[in-house]
Each structure stands twice: as structure tokens, then as C-alpha cells.
């Protein structure tokens, strides 16, 4: 992105003479040109337009085998140091321009939150740009190994300090096999598929509530694409999941909704969960912006992004990908994949499955190929999960609060695949791996048998 500056603050961070001296050195020594220009000198490093044009002339001349153009002046005696200094100045200019814009936004009366959110967004872009301007962007395996040891050492320290089995927020004691198989909810792309009504949304809400309660530095951005469900229902489900209450009691007006406010007192959990209601013009940038705002406003360090659900979001995406749904899903998934680096947490994509997958019935194996329109889901996801109904009499019992499911881990870049038994306990809005036995729905929600209903005619 090109930034324009009003006051010229960025010119403080320029050294036109040094630029000239570097150009003079490059014009006299073709070898030096290839050592520096090819790897890390980009036109942006030269602030002066004349110098920038001269640099481009040099590039063209050397590329076409013509003699280098004349550059007047003394060549820089220590070319490596001079190139390093120019790269450093270019980085400073980039940052100065962003701060200048922030100043102007504050002065022009723009809302502080908006100005701050934009600053955070631009600063992150600048971080990328600054990296690209850094000399020596390629890194050796030795450097990478040192980085790996530092990152893993920090994770080990966290693990020992918290006494937990994984440095990432865990699915928890009730879902221990998922932690064993997946190593907690790590920064990665997860795809969760299943037939309509099997509980994809509720299971995701439960995992999001685990993510929020497992650590204090976590947040959730829920990208909601449901056109009929009001966003506040998600807050009801989340609150019920945190408190272990039955959401249907509140939805059916059979319990006092004010009780749900108790959820607000649980460690600010509900403050760290934001809902982005997707509209036709919602793009990846909107999602990224929501992640960065949540990080800036609530001071959270890692964010789980949930997309409910990917095929619908893809149907909203730009017409540039045409009408082909597979292409749209592919482009939405690959864009969302890049979010992992920004949110430092799981990107959790709820996905429909091909009809054939659930026509096959409970006893059949689930497969990674079951995701609907899913070439890209299959390849891009680090973890593929399929939620299927189990063969259990409680599933057809309308008064049972327990539904038996099987969660098939059909793809796993972090370890083995397998099947985990899962019991949805609707009285507590929770999911468990251990069978809770028979639990009846609350009496107010039970479906009455024939003859039990009284007073069919309601007098008005
Ligand atoms: N753990 C739970 N606690 C309470 N209710 C639950 C739970 N799991 C499922 N339900 C109930 O089952 C219904 C279907 O679940 P959910 O909406 O999560 O399914 P889904 O797979 O996301 O469906 P769709 O694909 O149609 O969106 C919910 O409306 C809710 O009433």
C-alpha cells in the first residue's frame, strides 16, 4: 500500500548522499551489485526519486548485459554498512508514515477506537513490509534452529509453569482423547464437518468456551453467516456453556433470562468473544481487522476464529471467482488459512458435508473427502473433524438430554487419526467423552405423550 504524507516527517529518515554513494559503488562493481541488489535492495530503499530512477536504470543495464550508467560521486567505502543503513532508514520511513497518519486522524476528530484499530492494522502490515526491507531476509537452517529452540523452550516453560499437558489451550478433562490426538487447540486450520443438526455449532461453541476459559490471554472471533439466527443467541449459548445451563430453557422462556448474566462474572470470558455478522461485503480483511481489534482492545494474545459456516461465507465472496462453488470455497479457505499467522490460534471452519456422507449411515467410516465442495478444505486444513450420529437408542428418544455422537478425526497433521465417542449433554450445553448414562431433558421441555396435554383450546 502506498502512503502519502502531509508534513514530510518521513524525510527525516532519509540520506540522499548515502543513497548516491551506494549507487556509485554499485555502478562501478557489477559483482557488488549482484551481492546486494539481487537479495535486498529494492527501489523503495531509495527515497530520492532521482536516485530511485538511477537504481532502476542500473538494474535494467545489468540485467540486459549493457554497461552500467554513470553515477557521479564517491562510492561508499563500506558498502555493506551503507546498504544496511539505507534499509534501516527505509524501515523507519515506513513506520513514520503510519504514525503521521495516526496523528492526523486524531487531529481530524476520527473516533479514537477507529484510529487506534487502523493503527494496529497498518502497523501489522508495516511489520511485514519492514521484514521485506530487511537485508538478509533468507535465513539459514542454523538461524531457524535457534528460533525453533527459543520457541519450543518458551512453550516448555509455559507447560511446566501451568502444569498442563499442552502449552495450547486444552479441550479439557472431559475430552482428553482430543488433547492426546491433537495436542490441544493449537494455531492451525481445523475443519469441522457434519450433517445439518448434528451439533456442529454447539460443539464449536463448547470448544470456544473451553478456549476462553483455559487461559486468560485468549479471545474468539465468531464469523456468523446464519441469516436467520440473531447474533445474541450465540451469547446465550456461550453463557450456558460456561455456566453449564440448558439453553433451550431460556429460548423457550421457561427460565429467567437474567440468570444468564452470571456468565458475565466468569473472568471476563464474554468480553473476549466477539461476533462478526457476515454481510455480502464481508472480506478476509474484515475478519483480520476484527482479530486485531480484539487483540488491541482486550489485550489478548491468541484468538480462535470460528467461521459458521464456510460454504455460506464462500457464497458471499467476490464474484471474481465466478459461480463455481468449488472455486469460491477454495479461495475463501486459502484466504482464511493465512489468518493463522495473525491470530496465533485455531482457525476453525465449520463445513457442510456432501449428502452422500450421511446417507451412508452411522456405521460407515467418515472420510476427509466428505467435506462439501471441499478440495481445498481437504488439503488446507491441518485437522479434519467429522461429527456423525452414533448408533444409540437415546438419539431417537425425544426426552433424552444425551445424544451420542462420534467425532472422526479424519485428518491430523499433529498425530494419529481416530474416532472419539462424544456425548452431547443438552442440560449443560456441554460435550463429554465419558458416557453420562441416561439424563432426561428438564421436565418443562419434555414432550408429553398422548392424553397428557391439557386445554387444547386457549381462550382469548
Ligand atoms: N450440547 C448441546 N447443548 C444444548 N443443545 C444442543 C447441544 N448440542 C446440540 N444441541 C441442540 O441441537 C440443535 C442442533 O445443533 P446445531 O445447531 O449445533 O447443529 P448444526 O450441525 O450446527 O446444524 P446446522 O448445520 O443446521 O447449522 C441445536 O439447535 C440445539 O438445540
Amino acid at each position: 500500500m502506498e502512503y502519502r504524507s502531509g508534513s514530510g516527517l518521513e524525510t527525516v529518515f532519509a540520506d540522499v548522499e548515502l543513497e548516491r554513494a551506494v549507487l556509485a559503488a554499485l555502478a562501478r562493481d557489477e559483482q557488488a551489485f549482484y551481492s546486494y541488489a539481487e537479495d535486498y535492495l529494492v527501489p523503495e530503499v531509495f527515497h530520492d526519486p532521482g536516485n530511485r530512477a538511477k537504481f532502476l536504470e542500473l538494474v535494467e543495464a545489468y540485467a540486459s548485459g549493457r554497461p552500467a550508467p554513470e553515477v557521479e560521486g564517491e562510492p561508499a567505502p563500506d558498502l555493506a554498512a551503507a546498504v544496511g543503513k539505507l534499509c534501516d532508514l527505509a524501515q523507519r520511513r515506513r513506520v513514520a508514515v503510519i504514525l503521521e497518519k495516526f496523528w492526523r486522524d486524531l487531529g481530524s476528530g476520527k473516533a479514537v477506537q477507529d484510529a487506534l484499530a487502523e493503527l494496529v492494522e497498518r502497523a501489522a502490515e508495516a511489520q511485514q513490509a519492514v521484514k521485506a526491507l530487511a537485508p538478509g531476509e533468507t535465513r539459514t537452517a542454523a538461524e531457524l534452529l535457534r528460533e525453533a529452540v527459543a520457541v519450543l523452550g518458551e512453550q516448555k516453560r509455559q507447560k511446566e509453569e501451568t502444569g498442563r499437558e499442552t502449552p495450547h489451550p486444552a479441550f479439557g478433562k472431559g475430552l482428553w482423547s482430543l488433547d492426546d490426538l491433537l495436542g490441544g487447540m493449537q494455531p492451525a486450520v481445523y475443519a469441522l464437518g457434519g450433517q445439518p443438526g448434528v451439533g456442529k455449532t454447539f460443539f464449536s461453541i463448547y470448544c470456544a468456551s473451553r478456549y476462553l476459559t483455559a487461559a486468560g490471554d485468549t479471545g474468539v472471533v465468531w464469523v456468523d453467516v446464519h441469516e436467520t439466527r440473531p447474533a445474541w443467541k450465540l451469547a446465550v449459548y456461550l453463557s450456558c456453556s460456561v455456566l453449564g445451563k440448558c439453553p433451550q430453557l431460556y429460548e423457550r422462556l421457561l427460565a429467567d433470562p437474567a440468570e444468564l448474566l452470571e456468565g458475565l462474572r466468569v473472568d471476563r470470558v464474554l468480553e473476549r468473544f466477539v461476533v462478526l455478522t457476515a454481510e455480502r461485503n464481508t472480506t478476509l480483511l474484515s475478519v483480520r481487522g476484527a482479530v486485531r481489534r480484539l487483540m488491541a482492545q482486550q489485550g489478548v494474545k491468541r484468538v480462535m476464529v470460528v467461521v459458521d459456516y464456510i460454504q455460506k461465507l464462500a457464497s458471499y465472496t467476490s464474484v471474481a471467482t465466478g459461480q463455481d462453488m468449488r472455486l469460491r470455497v477454495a479461495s475463501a479457505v486459502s484466504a482464511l488459512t493465512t489468518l493463522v499467522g495473525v491470530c496465533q490460534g485455531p482457525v476453525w471452519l465449520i463445513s457442510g458435508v456432501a449428502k452422500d456422507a450421511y446417507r451412508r449411515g452411522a456405521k460407515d467410516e467418515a472420510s476427509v473427502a466428505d467435506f462439501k465442495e471441499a478440495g481445498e478444505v481437504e488439503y488446507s486444513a491441518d485437522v479434519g473433524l467429522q461429527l456423525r450420529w452414533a448408533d444409540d437408542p437415546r438419539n431417537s428418544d425425544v426426552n433424552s438430554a444425551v445424544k451420542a455422537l462420534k467425532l472422526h478425526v479424519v485428518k491430523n497433521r499433529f498425530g494419529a487419526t481416530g474416532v472419539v465417542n462424544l456425548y452431547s449433554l443438552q442440560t449443560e450445553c456441554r460435550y463429554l467423552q465419558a458416557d453420562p448414562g441416561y439424563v432426561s431433558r428438564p421436565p418443562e421441555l419434555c414432550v408429553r405423550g398422548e392424553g397428557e396435554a391439557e386445554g387444547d383450546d386457549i381462550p382469548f
Side-chain angles (χ1 to χ4, degrees):
M1 175 173 287
E2 191 63 36
Y3 295 104
R4 306 211 181 286
S5 122
S7 69
L9 172 65
E10 87 282 6
T11 57
V12 174
F13 302 111
D15 185 337
V16 178
E17 291 309 313
L18 191 66
E19 289 177 8
R20 201 88 196 146
V22 166
L23 288 171
L26 297 180
R28 283 170 180 69
D29 182 350
E30 188 173 352
Q31 207 45 46
F33 174 85
Y34 284 116
S35 309
Y36 292 102
E38 290 236 301
D39 283 343
Y40 30 78
L41 271 178
V42 289
E44 200 185 339
V45 163
F46 297 90
H47 179 64
D48 177 76
N51 287 343
R52 194 177 289 189
K54 190 58 95 185
F55 175 71
L56 289 171
E57 259 181 66
L58 266 171
V59 173
E60 221 179 286
Y62 282 130
S64 56
R66 280 187 277 111
E70 285 278 305
V71 180
E72 284 170 21
E74 281 301 302
D78 183 348
L79 188 56
V83 167
K85 176 96 190 292
L86 288 189
C87 290
D88 180 70
L89 287 168
Q91 293 175 330
R92 282 167 207 277
R93 282 199 297 277
R94 183 90 200 191
V95 178
V97 169
I98 291 163
L99 288 177
E100 257 193 315
K101 165 98 174 38
F102 181 55
W103 266 112
R104 276 189 279 125
D105 284 349
L106 287 183
S108 71
K110 188 169 187 167
V112 177
Q113 289 294 12
D114 290 347
L116 203 56
E118 193 181 326
L119 174 71
V120 174
E121 170 88 349
R122 300 278 173 252
E125 272 175 23
Q127 210 167 25
Q128 288 301 321
V130 156
K131 260 200 207 158
L133 287 170
E137 184 39 20
T138 53
R139 291 183 299 162
T140 65
E143 284 170 315
L144 290 171
L145 193 61
R146 272 183 222 106
E147 184 182 325
V149 170
V151 171
L152 294 172
E154 173 57 20
Q155 290 188 357
K156 189 162 180 287
R157 192 192 59 72
Q158 278 180 11
K159 195 174 149 197
E160 283 161 4
E161 200 176 282
T162 57
R164 295 197 183 118
E165 287 183 10
T166 147
H168 310 290
F171 288 90
K173 286 202 179 70
L175 297 175
W176 69 90
S177 292
L178 278 184
D179 283 321
D180 289 350
L181 285 168
L182 308 175
M185 288 182 256
Q186 6 191 343
V189 176
Y190 298 72
L192 171 66
Q195 73 181 84
V198 73
K200 299 180 296 296
T201 299
F202 272 73
F203 181 58
S204 305
I205 286 272
Y206 181 63
C207 294
S209 80
R210 295 292 320 156
Y211 194 74
L212 291 167
T213 47
D217 65 351
T218 51
V220 173
V221 169
W222 185 286
V223 185
D224 206 41
V225 200
H226 270 265
E227 279 160 346
T228 51
R229 178 178 61 207
W232 56 258
K233 284 211 174 185
L234 291 168
V236 170
Y237 303 155
L238 180 69
S239 186
C240 285
S241 196
V242 170
L243 299 169
K245 290 177 181 276
C246 177
Q248 285 84 18
L249 282 178
Y250 301 96
E251 286 182 308
R252 299 275 197 94
L253 310 175
L254 297 166
D256 180 4
E259 288 170 8
L260 292 171
L261 292 174
E262 240 184 274
L264 289 181
R265 286 194 282 278
V266 185
D267 186 29
R268 290 177 46 246
V269 162
L270 278 81
E271 309 277 354
R272 293 186 272 123
F273 182 102
V274 296
V275 179
L276 173 70
T277 307
E279 308 285 348
R280 302 245 157 232
N281 58 359
T282 299
T283 61
L284 177 72
L285 270 184
S286 335
V287 183
R288 222 167 57 182
V291 169
R292 294 226 171 92
R293 265 193 301 282
L294 181 62
M295 285 177 154
Q297 290 170 356
Q298 299 293 334
V300 304
K301 302 248 168 0
R302 35 195 174 169
V303 173
M304 174 180 192
V305 175
V306 183
V307 176
D308 188 4
Y309 60 98
I310 185 67
Q311 283 79 9
K312 188 81 186 174
L313 184 68
S315 78
Y316 281 8
T317 52
S318 142
V319 280
T321 41
Q323 295 306 312
D324 183 336
M325 201 49 197
R326 284 186 80 88
L327 279 181
R328 286 179 172 218
V329 172
S331 108
V333 171
S334 73
L336 287 160
T337 304
T338 65
L339 266 184
V340 177
V342 177
C343 68
Q344 299 295 330
V347 171
W348 185 275
L349 308 177
I350 299 180
S351 165
V353 290
K355 280 205 179 61
D356 176 55
Y358 46 93
R359 285 206 189 109
R360 292 200 305 258
K363 293 207 179 68
D364 277 318
E365 279 306 301
S367 145
V368 73
D370 289 342
F371 291 107
K372 202 172 180 183
E373 261 99 39
E376 197 63 23
V377 176
E378 208 173 313
Y379 292 114
S380 301
D382 298 297
V383 174
L385 304 169
Q386 293 279 355
L387 201 52
R388 305 275 293 266
W389 293 110
D391 195 6
D392 189 293
R394 287 167 292 186
N395 291 351
S396 52
D397 177 345
V398 283
N399 289 327
S400 167
V402 175
K403 300 293 166 200
L405 304 157
K406 292 214 179 270
L407 185 66
H408 295 250
V409 179
V410 289
K411 178 178 180 189
N412 181 12
R413 287 211 172 112
F414 306 116
T417 55
V419 184
V420 177
N421 290 329
L422 210 58
Y423 298 90
S424 152
L425 182 57
Q426 302 194 349
T427 40
E428 298 182 17
C429 204
R430 285 188 180 164
Y431 283 80
L432 306 164
Q433 193 179 332
D435 191 340
Y438 189 88
V439 179
S440 174
R441 290 190 5 125
E444 306 91 309
L445 287 173
C446 279
V447 176
R448 287 167 292 179
E450 248 174 77
E452 286 185 66
E454 41 183 65
D456 273 341
D457 300 324
I458 301 169
F460 284 98

